[in-house]
Amino acid sequence: MTTQRERTYLMSPPEHFAVEYAINPWMDTTAPVDTELAVKQWEGLRETLTRLGHTVHVLRPEIGLPDMVYAANGAFSVDGVVYGARFRYPQRMAEAAAHKRFYAELGWKYTTPVETNEGEGDFTYLPSYLGGVVLAGHGFRTEVAAHSEAQEALGRPVISLRLVDPRFYHLDVALAPLDDSNITYYPGAFSESTQAVLRQLFPDAVIADEEDALAFGLNLVSDGRNVVLNTEATALAAKLRSAGYVPVPVELTELKKGGGSVKCCVAELRP
């Protein structure tokens, strides 16, 4: 029996969303973006999360930061302690300051990073696994040195996972926690050695296939029971249902144009 736990999230509406540059394989500057539809789909996601019983804070979007809608990348928090982001590409660097101001208003302890990292894009947390473990990706956006920096900032063990397929440039498009101790992931996104580590650590993980990974099915948000994921990831939804979870599909076609889906738009706040 899977168990839901109320969560607190941070989202930023895509009022200024556009694909004005290409910093991942999914971004095509020649493909037009329907900003009105993007906002409508984003609102649908926010309403879904609140309907499921969760709290959603909203971070005001800023002109000139079209990727700010991908709120997961701005920081990573555990137990009211925040490890800030330091973006790889200059187009997104100013987003980190907006997130820092938000956490300052909450009164949370904030660590300004030295190493390049993109927040929850490459970090996730399993609070009940071995007493609380951070899984951390590297290979494209986040430097592996940021993993030890995060471990020092947060006081939680960090397990490094190497990404090798540029289509899965962040951990959160290749792996996701389903509850406080188990995950779902696509093995092909990771190095062979990392795949061996994941098999050892998570023998009961739900394994996604390439098709669902490419449909951003793993870029999901789960509360331990309800799994909010892209509508196109039908095979993964069936696997999750068989494993005892409740798939909650949402449509995010416009935001996929920037290389993200559900999870990219949602940062989890962990007091």
Side-chain angles (χ1 to χ4, degrees), residues 13-53:
E15 293 173 11
H16 310 301
F17 177 63
V19 180
E20 299 173 346
Y21 45 78
I23 58 173
N24 69 57
W26 303 97
M27 300 178 83
D28 180 357
T29 56
T30 67
V33 170
D34 185 335
T35 304
E36 184 178 347
L37 179 57
V39 171
K40 182 179 179 180
Q41 292 177 342
W42 181 91
E43 287 286 358
L45 173 59
R46 184 184 63 81
E47 289 168 5
T48 296
L49 295 172
T50 56
R51 176 173 53 81
L52 292 171

Side-chain angles (χ1 to χ4, degrees), residues 15-253:
E15 293 173 11
H16 310 301
F17 177 63
V19 180
E20 299 173 346
Y21 45 78
I23 58 173
N24 69 57
W26 303 97
M27 300 178 83
D28 180 357
T29 56
T30 67
V33 170
D34 185 335
T35 304
E36 184 178 347
L37 179 57
V39 171
K40 182 179 179 180
Q41 292 177 342
W42 181 91
E43 287 286 358
L45 173 59
R46 184 184 63 81
E47 289 168 5
T48 296
L49 295 172
T50 56
R51 176 173 53 81
L52 292 171
H54 306 301
T55 300
V56 178
H57 294 273
V58 176
L59 182 64
R60 183 176 59 83
E62 298 184 11
I63 295 173
L65 296 176
D67 281 345
M68 198 166 165
V69 62
Y70 303 122
N73 303 151
F76 174 60
S77 65
V78 176
D79 298 334
V81 179
V82 186
Y83 177 57
R86 184 183 178 91
F87 287 88
R88 174 166 297 280
Y89 292 102
Q91 294 94 329
R92 298 196 65 185
M93 285 182 175
E95 294 177 39
H99 284 263
K100 183 176 182 178
R101 288 192 294 271
F102 171 80
Y103 288 105
E105 291 174 5
L106 289 184
W108 290 14
K109 180 183 177 182
Y110 185 96
T111 296
T112 300
V114 173
E115 305 295 342
T116 300
N117 82 90
E118 298 199 346
E120 281 199 329
D122 276 319
F123 290 96
T124 194
Y125 185 56
L126 298 172
S128 296
Y129 187 81
L130 299 176
V133 166
V134 175
L135 302 181
H138 68 97
F140 297 102
R141 295 293 191 87
T142 293
E143 297 294 339
V144 70
H147 296 181
S148 56
E149 188 177 54
Q151 182 168 273
E152 288 300 309
L154 302 170
R156 294 291 186 181
V158 176
I159 297 171
S160 294
L161 306 172
R162 184 177 170 223
L163 297 160
V164 296
D165 187 330
R167 297 173 300 176
F168 308 107
Y169 59 94
H170 272 155
L171 184 69
D172 70 2
V173 293
L175 177 152
L178 291 173
D179 52 41
D180 289 348
S181 60
N182 200 21
I183 65 170
T184 178
Y185 69 99
Y186 168 56
F190 299 94
S191 69
E192 290 187 7
S193 294
T194 293
Q195 291 179 43
V197 169
L198 289 169
R199 285 194 299 270
Q200 180 178 339
L201 292 177
F202 302 102
D204 298 323
V206 175
I207 305 300
D209 61 26
E210 183 178 34
E211 183 178 1
D212 279 334
L214 291 174
F216 287 89
L218 290 165
N219 196 238
L220 59 81
V221 169
S222 176
D223 61 19
R225 176 172 174 76
N226 303 291
V227 182
V228 183
L229 78 167
N230 198 294
T231 51
E232 297 172 39
T234 53
L236 180 58
K239 289 180 180 180
L240 293 170
R241 193 176 291 109
S242 296
Y245 299 94
V246 179
V248 182
V250 294
E251 187 72 68
L252 285 178
T253 52

